[in-house]
Amino acid sequence: MGRLSTHVLDTALGKPASGVKITLYRVSGHGHEKIAEVVTNADGRTDAPLLQGDALEAGTYELVFCAGDYLRRSGQAGEGVLFLDEIPIRFGVPDAAQHYHVPLLISPFAYSTYRGS
């Protein structure tokens, strides 16, 4: 059974990023369809997979991480314009039977991602 999961790590503070709002969209030629909105827990993870089973279809998806709100709450950013605020990550799911884990590693001035396990 395929599934989609994520987590967020704060590389500047060296700990999980809790309280990060994440919105998941399915992307098609007709635009974006919002299909889930979650918030990371104390471990920087979601309490359940974002999608699993028949809900995960082959196609293009986009995760939007509200990093700016987290960075402000954690004291790493002020109220002004941020270098990183909302971070979109667009990715493809070629085989809906597999597990796709899309983590985000953030700091106030950089981020990275990869296909995890």
Side-chain angles (χ1 to χ4, degrees):
M1 175 171 67
R3 68 185 189 276
L4 172 63
S5 60
T6 188
H7 75 276
V8 184
L9 298 174
D10 183 328
T11 57
L13 298 179
K15 65 179 192 173
S18 64
V20 177
K21 184 175 95 171
I22 304 166
T23 307
L24 173 65
Y25 297 92
R26 185 172 285 119
V27 180
S28 70
H30 305 291
H32 289 57
E33 174 192 358
K34 181 178 171 180
I35 53 178
E37 188 171 279
V38 297
V39 176
T40 58
N41 60 26
D43 197 31
R45 299 180 180 277
T46 60
D47 291 329
L50 296 167
L51 292 174
Q52 62 184 347
D54 292 340
L56 180 63
E57 301 173 358
T60 303
Y61 293 86
E62 187 169 279
L63 287 166
V64 178
F65 297 84
C66 293
D69 294 340
Y70 166 79
L71 292 168
R72 285 185 176 104
R73 278 194 317 277
S74 67
Q76 299 179 75
E79 291 301 317
V81 175
L82 301 178
F83 181 70
L84 294 174
D85 193 357
E86 291 188 354
I87 299 173
I89 299 176
R90 187 172 291 186
F91 60 96
V93 172
D95 180 358
Q98 293 189 27
H99 177 200
Y100 294 87
H101 184 70
V102 184
L104 179 70
L105 287 72
I106 61 171
S107 75
F109 300 104
Y111 71 90
S112 65
T113 190
Y114 55 93
R115 181 176 175 190
S117 57

